[in-house]
Amino acid sequence: MSGLYTVTLNGVSEEVYNKAADYIQAHALRLNYRPEVSTIDCEFPDDLDPAKAPELSEAVIRKVHQQL
């Protein structure tokens, strides 16, 4: 199983954004960039909690409750 998340990086530094994007690219099963709103929609395995990742500490992470 997996969980869908919206990760918003609005107002963070370029360094923080790049670290978060690298983390997401390395761990997400699927992702969709929405650069116009500094947001990345992503799907993570259930055994990975993005809210506990230090690379995403400055991000706003929202779990999406829907099925694909």
Side-chain angles (χ1 to χ4, degrees):
M1 296 290 305
S2 59
L4 301 172
Y5 297 86
T6 297
V7 179
T8 303
L9 296 158
N10 205 7
V12 299
S13 69
E14 183 177 352
E15 180 184 356
V16 170
Y17 185 93
N18 290 338
K19 283 182 182 179
D22 289 345
Y23 177 86
I24 292 169
Q25 287 178 352
H27 295 94
L29 301 172
R30 291 187 288 172
L31 57 100
N32 177 48
Y33 283 100
R34 293 190 288 150
E36 67 279 359
V37 290
S38 298
T39 299
I40 305 170
D41 299 314
C42 43
E43 182 177 3
F44 287 109
D46 279 341
D47 63 343
L48 190 117
D49 184 356
K52 293 181 180 175
E55 296 88 346
L56 302 178
S57 64
E58 294 185 45
V60 176
I61 302 170
R62 186 174 53 90
K63 185 163 180 147
V64 179
H65 299 283
Q66 79 180 51
Q67 299 281 332
L68 292 180

